[in-house]
Amino acid sequence: MTDVARYLGQGLFYALFFLPIVYLTHQPQHQHLPEGMAELKIAVRHAGATIGECTDVQAGVYTPLPGNKQRPQICPRERSPLQLELLMDGKPLYLATAFPSGLHDDGVASIYRRFTVPTGRHKLQLRMNDDVTVEGYPWVLEEDVDLQPAQVMVASFKDGFRLQ
Amino acid sequence: MKTLLKKGFNQLDSLFSKVFTPAWNPMYQLGALAFFYFWVVAVTGVYLFIFFETSISGAYSSIEQITVGQWYLGGVMRSFHRYASAAMGITVTLHLLREFALDRYSGPRWFSWVSGIPLLWLLFASAIGGYWLVWDQQAQYIAVLTAEWFDWLPIMVDPMASNFLNESTLSDRFFSLLVFLHIGIPLALLLGMFIHIKRVTAARSNPAKGLAAGTLLALLAISLWQPALSQAPANLDVAVTKVGLDWIFLNPYPLINSWGPGQTWALLVGLSTLLTVLPWLPSRRPKQTPVAMVYPPDCNGCGWCLADCPYEAISMKEHDYKPGHKQSVVDPDLCVSCGICAGACPSSSPFRHVDELTTGISIPGLHIKELLSLTETKLRELDVGVPRIMLYGCDHGSVVEGMQSNNVATISMPCSALVPPAFVDYVLRQDLAEGVLISGCCEGDCYHRLGNTWMDQRFAMERMPMLRTRVPRERVRLRWLGAQGTRELGRELIDFQQQLAENSADVDLLQLQEVGND
């Protein structure tokens, strides 16, 4: 093989190696969200109610601390898990239970979920229970929304649900 | 599957050797090419970092400014950065497949194989981090999916994805963290690459200059022709619909979305685990033969075997009973019984005045004494009258067994570098054969890494033990044609016989003339 043929061959091989690289670094395009769909995200980060009552420290119980340094009450640390329901147009879309973080179950509980939903008008219902001693859902949001194509709607929680 | 892969790589090796020459053959230096691409990415990355702004609005605009405002330098640098990293991904994948296909991942080679697996993760993490920094539609897509992917792990207290809910939840500090990761992870990758080749003697981390130059030229050409560009800027208030993906590095992402994070973790971790344990899984690999043994009475502590061992399996210690002398020690965990050490030992010389050939180091599977005995026996069985040839071959290169004939004796061994140069001298001086032909793996791609390189150097008198000057070079040939070059070796053998016959006729004629003159 002559030098010229060899260098031409090398050029061909470089092209065969790099052309697919050039193509594959941005093509073929990937359809992530189908046409006519929107995204609904739920992001809740909330500390549930503590489980159990605080109890008074009874007088006369032995303690090594002087009176002014004693806590008047002993309170439980464990928190309630969060129970969340999402309904769309009356149909359940998501049901989740999030447990508190921390070794003593005394931290916040977190829920995150992303949904792909059809665009148009929908009735959203969000319900959450953050206290095991209470029946039903103390936190509720019901709202009619009109979702546009590729819109991102976020349902978050801070002293109540809100949609953004 | 492995056999098919092996055949494919053998074909490619042969084709590339023709076009690039063996010295520039990219298939023989895939690891070195990966190092080269890493340095290209590192140097261009430093330049890009100078102009990069670590903020939500600044990230995208600063990269646009680099790409468009200074297309002639910054734009080219960005394209080099992107295409070299993609080329590194492909090269590393080919490197892994080739080492697997050619059975170079088990035995003492397990360390390089296993240490290479985390490098794949680090390489992918480096590349993904880079795409993230651009903060365009693709970055938004991978940001959300990466966060959701990691949130699946039970280690996350707060969902990482909460940072990418919408535009209001994103902060500038996130980009500072990304830059830190995009520098830190490649540095960890570099450290890992160093560890990866730590056990390898004379590891090749630089490709041939011609190959490096050609690669840079090709990178420049594609950078000017198709510069790397950003997509539309990210906007977390609007979901990504259609996105251009880098399928080389971002191929798991569509899986995260369609299969879910858990299954994707299972697939990738499962695949990595399978690759990690591969060296210990049962396979049809040839069984490991007993490792090399040192014979202290014949070891003079010269250290030639230490210098030639491709696996760093030999070290030196105080001699057992020669005070002030050194003695070789073989690490059985690292030795692969290639026999290169036996070929390097100065004691492996048939010219020594001993009743029975002994040597300082040898492999039990084919002791140097047996090799000599086999050589003598086989050559004495050949017909006299036609040029006789001693053909030594290796078990991984051209198949020599079928070339045995009335005037050709063949011996195959774990590595051709097991043949001490003194054997060639001996065979010719004792008139056991008219020529010696040594074959083996492809030039630059020895199964035992350095066997044919050492042989070339020994015969060119550049490395000890050397082939002595008195050996007529026209009666000795070294041919590195590999497994796919068996036919070519057959033709080479015929050519060698003809040449030896012509030489012999010339000598006869000369002798006749001398007799006539007398």
Side-chain angles (χ1 to χ4, degrees), chain B residues 151-428:
Chain B
D151 284 342
W152 182 85
L153 298 174
I155 51 169
M156 312 299 283
V157 175
D158 286 332
M160 204 203 299
S162 304
N163 296 299
F164 308 107
L165 295 175
N166 51 29
E167 287 290 295
S168 64
T169 53
L170 192 66
S171 77
D172 285 345
R173 278 192 301 173
F174 166 70
F175 284 91
S176 307
L177 175 70
L178 272 188
V179 167
F180 175 76
L181 287 174
H182 195 52
I183 295 171
I185 295 174
L187 282 176
L189 174 63
L190 181 63
L191 177 68
M193 285 157 72
F194 169 73
I195 293 168
H196 180 59
I197 58 167
K198 183 72 189 70
R199 263 201 194 178
V200 181
T201 310
R204 192 169 188 181
S205 56
N206 288 317
K209 281 180 187 162
L211 185 62
T215 303
L216 285 177
L217 273 176
L219 278 171
L220 181 64
I222 58 166
S223 300
L224 293 172
W225 172 57
Q226 284 284 313
L229 300 172
S230 304
Q231 298 179 33
N235 179 1
L236 287 168
D237 291 334
V238 179
V240 173
T241 50
K242 211 167 196 179
V243 62
L245 275 192
D246 178 339
W247 291 94
I248 295 164
F249 286 118
L250 307 179
N251 51 67
Y253 279 83
L255 283 185
I256 298 172
N257 200 45
S258 55
W259 285 16
Q263 282 92 327
T264 313
W265 273 118
L267 175 75
L268 296 180
V269 172
L271 203 60
S272 302
T273 310
L274 178 69
L275 285 174
T276 306
V277 300
L278 203 59
W280 296 279
L281 291 183
S283 77
R284 285 179 290 171
R285 282 192 302 275
K287 221 178 165 186
Q288 166 85 46
T289 48
V291 301
M293 286 178 68
V294 176
Y295 304 92
D298 294 289
C299 177
N300 64 10
C302 66
W304 294 356
C305 54
L306 166 78
D308 280 8
C309 178
Y311 302 98
E312 294 200 346
I314 296 173
S315 55
M316 306 302 285
K317 66 162 193 170
E318 283 302 312
H319 204 286
D320 283 351
Y321 39 81
K322 288 183 190 168
H325 282 72
K326 295 280 182 194
Q327 177 189 312
S328 303
V329 188
V330 176
D331 182 341
D333 291 335
L334 297 179
C335 179
V336 299
S337 320
C338 62
I340 292 177
C341 51
C345 183
S347 301
S348 301
S349 170
F351 293 109
R352 289 173 62 211
H353 297 289
V354 284
D355 294 336
E356 192 179 54
L357 180 59
T358 53
T359 185
I361 187 166
S362 197
I363 50 170
L366 184 60
H367 192 277
I368 214 79
K369 177 179 68 184
E370 290 164 34
L371 180 63
L372 179 66
S373 156
L374 208 57
T375 302
E376 288 178 328
T377 312
K378 286 201 167 196
L379 285 173
R380 288 201 172 108
E381 286 169 359
L382 298 183
D383 292 347
V384 186
V386 226
R388 293 159 300 168
I389 293 178
M390 180 66 237
L391 171 59
Y392 291 114
C394 89
D395 299 340
H396 311 279
S398 315
V399 185
V400 298
E401 281 88 349
M403 295 179 197
Q404 174 99 26
S405 69
N406 289 346
N407 39 46
V408 178
T410 62
I411 298 176
S412 186
M413 59 199 83
C415 180
S416 311
L418 196 157
V419 179
F423 267 48
V424 177
D425 190 7
Y426 179 79
V427 164
L428 298 179

Side-chain angles (χ1 to χ4, degrees), chain B residues 391-394 397-401 403 410 437-440 477-482 484-496:
Chain B
L391 171 59
Y392 291 114
C394 89
S398 315
V399 185
V400 298
E401 281 88 349
M403 295 179 197
T410 62
L437 176 56
I438 300 178
S439 71
R477 282 192 188 184
L478 296 174
R479 288 296 179 268
W480 311 121
L481 300 168
Q484 67 275 29
T486 304
R487 265 190 212 164
E488 201 179 333
L489 184 68
R491 289 194 289 272
E492 185 75 28
L493 194 61
I494 295 167
D495 179 69
F496 192 29

